[in-house]
Amino acid sequence: MSFSLSRLCIALSAGLLACAAQAGEVQIAVAANFTAPIKEIAAEFEKDTGHKVIASLGPTGGFYTQIHNGAPFEVFLSADDATPERLEKEGAIVPGSRFTYAIGKLVLWSAKPGYVDGKGEVLKRNAFKHLAIANPKTAPYGAAAIQVLAKLGLGEAVKPKLVEGANIAQAHQFVSTGNAELGFVALSQVSKDGKLTEGSGWTVPAELHDPIRQDAVILAKGKDNPAAQALVDYLKGPKAAAVIKAYGYDL
């Protein structure tokens, strides 16, 4: 009996060592608007697979430049679909790996409770001094904000009051610190489970701007990394989907 138990212990130990040997790490670049969801998803992914996620958070345009300058990213979660498509055309991704992991929502938000009404009429009243947006030339949420203002016929009226952040994270910072009374930010930055976490806001109707399709890809550097493929597969699964939806994204 003792001999059999010893063999069993050895077999279990070998299995644990094999699992440890198979666990790896993946370096990912993640659009700033997806900061909160990726933290939750990465934690669950690490528990479920043993793989480790090393995430860098920032602007999509900046990551595009870094990728072409040799940054060690293996998976890229963009804030748009145009940048991953461009990388695909340039041969910088694993063929066939591009997919939409989330569709973003834009919200007009203020850190002040009651400041932004449920229909966004505060924009038309134009009584504010500063309206924060992300840089519309490089940030998809900033471009969407400009489209909304144009559709509402307010582009010229509020133009002198626009304060541009380098990315959506900085736009949110302007509003949260009170440097701007309100601003257009990602819904995921200020809500969870269908409720604003603070302040007041108006979720912008989707028809007022182009869809904010956020695509992910496995980059060329991740081609032979099983952890990179495992993360992408996980992003397509039910656990990740539940987190993504909880932060207000569509799928």
Side-chain angles (χ1 to χ4, degrees):
M1 179 66 71
S2 60
F3 177 71
S4 298
L5 286 173
S6 296
R7 290 183 64 182
L8 177 61
C9 289
I10 292 170
L12 287 172
S13 297
L16 291 171
L17 287 172
C19 289
Q22 291 172 6
E25 64 179 36
V26 54
Q27 297 199 47
I28 67 174
V30 185
N33 73 83
F34 205 67
T35 297
I38 197 60
K39 286 181 179 179
E40 289 192 25
I41 292 169
E44 290 300 312
F45 172 74
E46 290 179 353
K47 282 197 301 183
D48 290 347
T49 68
H51 295 307
K52 183 180 179 182
V53 176
I54 301 173
S56 295
L57 307 163
T60 289
F63 282 137
Y64 174 82
T65 301
Q66 290 179 45
I67 289 165
H68 274 289
N69 287 336
F73 304 129
E74 297 165 298
V75 173
F76 178 33
L77 277 64
S78 177
D80 63 4
D81 55 359
T83 304
E85 183 179 12
R86 186 177 176 186
L87 288 167
E88 184 175 32
K89 290 177 179 177
E90 293 167 348
I93 75 168
V94 173
S97 67
R98 181 165 64 93
F99 72 101
T100 300
Y101 68 93
I103 299 174
K105 291 182 183 178
L106 189 69
V107 60
L108 180 67
W109 178 72
S110 174
K112 303 175 184 178
Y115 190 85
V116 177
D117 59 282
K119 294 184 179 180
E121 294 295 324
V122 64
L123 280 175
K124 297 177 182 178
R125 290 196 293 272
N126 200 8
F128 50 87
K129 293 181 179 179
H130 300 102
L131 173 65
I133 65 170
N135 185 340
K137 295 180 180 179
T138 58
Y141 284 83
I146 293 297
Q147 290 177 345
V148 172
L149 293 172
K151 284 274 184 75
L152 296 176
L154 298 172
E156 290 303 315
V158 304
K159 189 175 182 179
K161 301 181 178 184
L162 293 181
V163 181
E164 289 186 12
N167 53 50
I168 199 67
Q170 191 172 55
H172 174 267
Q173 184 181 30
F174 287 157
V175 184
S176 64
T177 56
N179 288 314
E181 298 98 312
L182 71 172
F184 285 103
V185 301
L187 182 61
S188 60
Q189 294 174 297
V190 297
S191 75
K192 181 73 184 295
D193 296 324
K195 297 180 180 179
L196 289 178
T197 52
E198 61 178 316
S200 53
W202 168 56
T203 302
V204 178
E207 62 267 20
L208 292 180
H209 60 81
D210 293 338
I212 307 174
R213 298 186 184 280
Q214 302 192 194
D215 281 7
V217 294
I218 299 177
L219 296 164
K221 289 184 183 293
K223 178 181 178 182
D224 299 317
N225 184 359
Q229 184 63 58
L231 178 61
V232 165
D233 291 341
Y234 200 85
L235 281 168
K236 298 176 181 178
K239 284 190 176 181
V243 174
I244 292 169
K245 289 179 180 178
Y247 280 95
Y249 294 94
D250 285 333
L251 294 174

